[in-house]
C-alpha cells in the first residue's frame, strides 16, 4: 500500500510540481519515497508502505521497454502472473511488478487480469503513458487537466490549489492513454454470470463458504503481519474466523481490533467473537470529547462531508490508530452488505429489482465505504484489505438466486449466516445488523452535538449541497481543507430508500 502522484504532458512536464504532491500524501507511505522523470513528457512519484518484498520493492519500478511504474495497492495473483509471464523481465519480488511486466508485454487492455486492489501510472521514454484503476475503485485515484498538463494522485489534497477546481474521480475499471483516451476494461460486476437457478441450498452454502475462505487466504498474502478489524458484526466476524483458522494452521495467533464507546453493542460483540476465536484482541474506546476533537482530522482525511460516512469514519479513525501500532495491514468486512443484501432498504424498496440495485451500490462503493476505509487507515500508515470484494466472490455472490438473499424471519443475509454455521456461536452468527456508526456509539455522540450547535437559519440559508445541520458542519471543514474542490465532482450519497 502506498501513495502515487504523476504528471503527463505531450511535450514537456513541470516536474517541480511533483515534490509538493508527494509531500501532501506522505502519510500513505512512511517507509520510503522516490520519483522519476520518464523521457520529456512524464514524471512519476511514489511514497511507500512496505508490505511485500520489503527490501526490493522500492518504486518507481523499471521494466521492459524502458517502462516505469508506480502502483498503490496489492496484486494478489502476482505469483501466478509471474509464472505465466516468465522470470526474464522481473527484477524484484514486488507484487506490483507483475502489473508492470503485464502492461509492457500486452498493453493496458490486459490489466483486467490483475486480481486485487490497485491504482497505477506508468510511462515509457518514447511518450507512452498509462493511468488505470481496479474494477471497483478499491484504491483511490483522481485526475485533472490544466494547461495541457494531466495530474494524477491518490488523494485530493495532493493537487496544487490552482488545479483543485478541475479535479475529478478517475473512474474504476478504466485506463487512460494519450492515444486512446479513457477506456473501460472491466465492470464492477461481470456482465456474464453463471446461471444457478435451482441450485440446491446446501451446495450454494458450501460454495459461498469455499469462495470466501479462498479469498481470505489470498488476502493474507504479505511479508508482514496482517490483522483483522473485528466490529462484532457478521461480516468481520466471518473474516476473523477464517483468518484465525488460517493463522492457527501455521502456528500463529491472529491479532484483532475493535472500537466503540464503553459497553457499546459492537465492542461487546467483538469481545465475545475474539474470545471464541482465541485471537489476540485489542480495543479502542472513545467518548464524546475524543470523537469531537478528531472530527476536523477525520473530515480532512476522508475528503468527504457525507454525514453517514463521517460518522462511521470517526470510530474507524481510532481503530486504525490502534491497529497501526501492532500490524501494517488488516482485513475488513466491507462489501458483504452490497453482495448479500444486508441493508434494510434493499428489501423495503427494491425487492423486485434486487440484482440491479445491488450492482448499482457495488459500483458506487468507491465513493463511499471504500473511500472511508482507505483514507482513515492510510492516514495512520495502515493497509486495509477487503476479501468480500474479490472478483471471484463478487461473481459468485451476484450469481446466487434472489431467493437466497431475501429476509428470513426478518433477518438479513441468512444465506451467509447458514454458510458459516459452526464457525461462530449462534448468538453472534445471527446477531441483527446495526450500521457501524450506530453500533459503535458514534452517531449518538455526533448527531446531537451538531443539532445543538448549528442553527436552523444556518441550514436554511446555506448554498452547500447538504441535508442536515451535522452535514453542514462537516462541509465547512471540508471546504477549509480543500477550498477549490467541487463537491459535486467527488460526492456520492448513501442510498437509504
Amino acid at each position: 500500500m502506498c501513495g502515487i502522484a504523476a504528471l503527463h504532458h505531450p511535450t514537456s512536464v513541470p516536474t517541480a510540481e511533483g515534490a509538493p504532491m508527494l509531500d501532501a500524501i506522505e502519510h500513505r507511505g512512511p517507509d520510503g519515497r522516490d520519483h522519476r522523470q520518464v523521457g520529456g513528457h512524464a514524471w512519476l512519484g511514489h511514497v511507500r508502505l512496505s508490505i511485500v518484498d520489503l527490501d526490493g520493492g522500492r518504486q518507481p519500478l523499471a521494466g521492459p521497454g524502458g517502462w516505469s511504474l508506480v502502483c498503490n495497492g496489492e496484486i494478489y495473483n502476482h505469483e501466478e502472473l509471474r509464472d505465466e509471464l516468465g522470470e526474464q523481465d522481473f527484477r524484484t519480488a514486488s507484487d506490483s511488478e507483475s502489473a508492470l511486466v503485464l502492461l509492457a508485454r500486452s498493453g493496458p487492455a490486459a490489466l483486467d487480469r490483475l486480481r486485487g486492489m490497485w491504482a497505477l501510472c506508468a510511462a515509457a521514454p518514447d511518450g507512452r503513458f498509462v493511468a488505470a484503476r481496479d474494477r471497483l475503485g478499491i484504491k483511490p485515484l483522481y485526475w485533472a487537466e490544466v494547461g495541457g498538463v494531466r495530474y494524477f494522485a491518490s488523494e485530493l489534497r495532493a493537487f496544487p490549489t490552482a488545479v483543485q477546481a478541475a479535479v475529478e474521480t478517475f473512474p474504476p475499471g478504466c485506463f487512460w492513454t494519450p492515444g486512446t483516451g479513457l477506456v473501460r476494461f472491466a465492470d464492477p460486476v461481470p456482465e456474464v454470470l453463471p446461471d444457478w437457478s435451482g441450485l440446491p441450498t446446501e451446495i450454494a452454502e458450501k460454495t459461498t463458504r469455499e469462495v470466501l475462505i479462498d479469498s481470505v487466504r489470498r488476502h493474507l498474502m504479505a511479508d508482514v503481519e496482517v490483522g483483522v478489524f473485528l466490529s462484532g458484526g457478521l461480516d468481520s466476524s466471518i473474516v476473523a474466523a477464517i483468518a484465525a483458522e488460517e493463522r492457527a494452521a501455521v502456528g500463529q495467533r491472529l491479532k484483532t481490533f475493535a472500537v466503540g464507546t464503553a459497553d457499546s453493542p459492537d465492542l461487546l460483540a467483538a469481545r465475545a467473537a475474539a474470545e471464541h476465536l482465541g485471537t489476540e484482541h485489542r480495543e479502542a474506546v472513545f467518548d464524546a470529547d475524543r470523537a469531537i476533537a478528531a472530527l476536523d482530522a477525520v473530515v480532512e482525511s476522508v475528503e468527504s462531508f457525507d454525514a453517514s460516512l463521517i460518522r462511521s469514519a470517526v470510530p474507524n479513525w481510532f481503530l486504525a490508530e490502534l491497529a497501526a501500532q501492532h500490524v501494517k495491514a488488516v482485513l475488513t468486512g466491507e462489501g458483504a452488505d452490497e453482495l448479500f443484501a444486508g441493508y434494510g432498504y434493499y428489501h423495503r424498496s427494491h425487492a423486485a429489482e434486487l440484482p440491479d440495485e445491488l450492482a448499482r451500490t457495488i459500483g458506487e462503493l468507491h465513493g463511499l465505504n471504500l473511500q472511508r476505509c482507505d483514507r482513515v487507515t492510510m492516514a495512520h500508515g495502515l493497509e486495509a484489505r477487503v476479501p468480500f470484494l474479490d472478483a471471484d466472490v463478487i461473481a459468485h455472490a451476484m450469481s446466487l438466486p434472489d431467493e437466497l438473499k431475501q429476509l428470513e424471519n426478518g433477518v438479513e443475509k441468512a444465506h451467509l449466516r447458514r454458510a458459516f454455521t459452526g464457525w461462530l456461536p449462534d448468538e453472534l452468527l445471527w446477531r441483527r445488523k446495526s450500521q457501524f456508526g450506530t453500533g459503535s456509539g458514534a452517531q449518538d455522540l455526533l448527531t446531537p452535538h451538531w443539532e445543538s450547535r448549528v442553527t436552523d437559519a444556518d441550514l436554511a440559508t446555506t448554498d452547500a449541497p447538504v441535508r442536515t445541520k451535522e452535514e453542514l458542519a462537516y462541509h465547512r471543514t471540508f471546504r477549509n481543507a480543500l477550498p477549490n474542490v467541487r463537491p459535486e465532482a467527488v460526492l456520492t450519497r448513501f442510498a437509504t430508500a
Side-chain angles (χ1 to χ4, degrees):
M1 190 65 64
C2 308
I4 63 174
L7 302 169
H8 173 270
H9 190 277
T11 57
S12 62
V13 64
T15 56
E17 292 185 312
M21 294 179 73
L22 287 184
D23 291 342
I25 56 172
E26 202 159 26
H27 53 277
R28 298 184 68 91
D31 296 331
R33 167 176 172 156
D34 207 351
H35 62 87
R36 180 176 300 152
Q37 174 97 21
V38 184
H41 70 286
W43 177 92
L44 304 175
H46 187 263
V47 293
R48 186 183 186 211
L49 179 65
S50 304
I51 302 292
V52 175
D53 191 6
L54 306 186
D55 297 326
R58 187 180 182 91
Q59 298 188 32
L61 292 167
W67 279 96
S68 294
L69 171 141
V70 291
C71 181
N72 167 33
E74 300 291 348
I75 311 300
Y76 298 118
N77 64 332
H78 74 101
E79 292 183 348
E80 298 97 304
L81 289 171
R82 185 182 294 262
D83 289 342
E84 293 176 22
L85 296 168
E87 291 286 345
Q88 62 270 25
D89 289 327
F90 286 85
R91 306 178 186 182
T92 77
S94 169
D95 58 298
S96 296
E97 194 171 14
S98 63
L100 173 58
V101 175
L102 182 65
L103 177 64
R105 293 268 197 91
S106 304
L111 294 173
D112 67 347
R113 297 178 61 192
L114 301 178
R115 293 184 62 180
M117 53 180 192
W118 52 270
L120 62 82
C121 290
D126 61 6
R128 289 174 293 171
F129 185 94
V130 178
R133 190 179 184 191
D134 70 67
R135 66 180 65 231
L136 285 177
I138 300 172
K139 289 297 99 189
L141 187 63
Y142 296 96
W143 64 334
E145 191 276 324
V146 174
V149 180
R150 286 195 180 265
Y151 300 76
F152 301 85
S154 298
E155 296 185 10
L156 293 168
R157 70 181 77 191
F159 291 84
T161 303
V163 174
Q164 286 184 1
V167 175
E168 295 181 351
T169 299
F170 192 95
C174 292
F175 68 79
W176 178 87
T177 75
T180 63
L182 194 65
V183 177
R184 175 164 293 282
F185 67 84
D187 293 309
V189 176
E191 291 186 1
V192 179
L193 295 168
D195 181 5
W196 279 14
S197 55
L199 184 74
T201 300
E202 62 272 16
I203 300 300
E205 292 169 3
K206 179 176 183 289
T207 308
T208 295
R209 182 169 58 253
E210 289 174 347
V211 76
L212 280 168
I213 291 172
D214 179 65
S215 178
V216 170
R217 183 177 294 131
R218 280 184 282 104
H219 280 72
L220 287 169
M221 173 205 80
D223 293 332
V224 296
E225 191 167 9
V226 179
V228 172
F229 277 176
L230 181 57
S231 73
L234 175 69
D235 312 327
S236 67
S237 295
I238 287 175
V239 170
I242 299 170
E245 186 167 286
E246 292 293 317
R247 283 292 177 251
V250 293
Q252 297 176 2
R253 189 180 179 198
L254 180 71
K255 288 183 170 67
T256 55
F257 307 91
V259 65
T261 55
D263 297 327
S264 59
D266 279 359
L267 202 63
L268 297 176
R271 194 177 300 164
E275 183 176 356
H276 174 79
L277 298 173
T279 68
E280 185 180 320
H281 189 63
R282 293 177 173 85
E283 298 175 348
V285 180
F286 66 94
D287 57 17
D289 289 341
R290 286 195 74 198
I292 293 163
L295 276 172
D296 284 358
V298 170
V299 173
E300 291 173 9
S301 174
V302 176
E303 299 184 327
S304 173
F305 52 88
D306 181 279
S308 297
L309 204 64
I310 300 304
R311 280 197 297 266
S312 64
V314 168
N316 266 278
W317 178 269
F318 299 120
L319 185 60
E321 183 181 50
L322 170 66
Q325 299 171 28
H326 303 278
V327 296
K328 296 189 75 169
V330 292
L331 308 187
T332 83
E334 301 289 353
D337 287 319
E338 289 75 13
L339 292 176
F340 295 97
Y343 294 125
Y345 95 93
Y346 286 134
H347 307 283
R348 292 192 305 269
S349 305
H350 297 281
E353 67 280 352
L354 185 59
D356 290 341
E357 182 62 11
L358 293 177
R360 185 190 71 79
T361 52
I362 290 168
E364 292 184 350
L365 275 173
H366 67 92
L368 291 169
N369 292 11
L370 292 175
Q371 180 170 329
R372 179 253 298 150
C373 181
D374 171 84
R375 298 302 199 284
V376 296
T377 52
M378 291 308 296
H380 295 93
L382 179 72
E383 174 176 286
R385 300 178 174 185
V386 286
F388 273 102
L389 294 177
D390 175 79
D392 282 357
V393 178
I394 292 173
H396 165 77
M398 293 301 288
S399 67
L400 291 172
D402 284 2
E403 56 266 26
L404 292 183
K405 298 181 182 179
Q406 301 304 318
L407 296 177
E408 185 173 302
N409 297 321
V411 179
E412 78 291 336
K413 295 186 289 193
H415 166 76
L416 184 59
R417 298 173 194 273
R418 286 195 302 268
F420 284 89
T421 298
W423 287 66
L424 294 162
D426 282 351
E427 61 269 23
L428 295 175
L429 193 65
W430 290 91
R431 179 185 176 227
R432 297 297 298 271
K433 177 180 179 58
S434 61
Q435 290 191 1
F436 188 57
T438 304
S440 67
Q443 182 170 351
D444 292 341
L445 300 180
L446 297 175
T447 302
H449 175 81
W450 294 118
E451 284 293 325
S452 65
R453 285 164 175 79
V454 179
T455 69
D456 292 336
D458 288 337
L459 184 61
T461 58
T462 184
D463 59 358
V466 299
R467 301 164 294 185
T468 64
K469 296 177 182 179
E470 182 181 6
E471 205 159 76
L472 177 56
Y474 302 150
H475 181 270
R476 290 168 174 168
T477 301
F478 173 88
R479 180 53 64 220
N480 287 335
L482 298 162
N484 297 317
V485 170
R486 296 173 298 113
E488 62 271 18
V490 297
L491 183 63
T492 306
R493 295 293 196 187
F494 271 105
T496 57

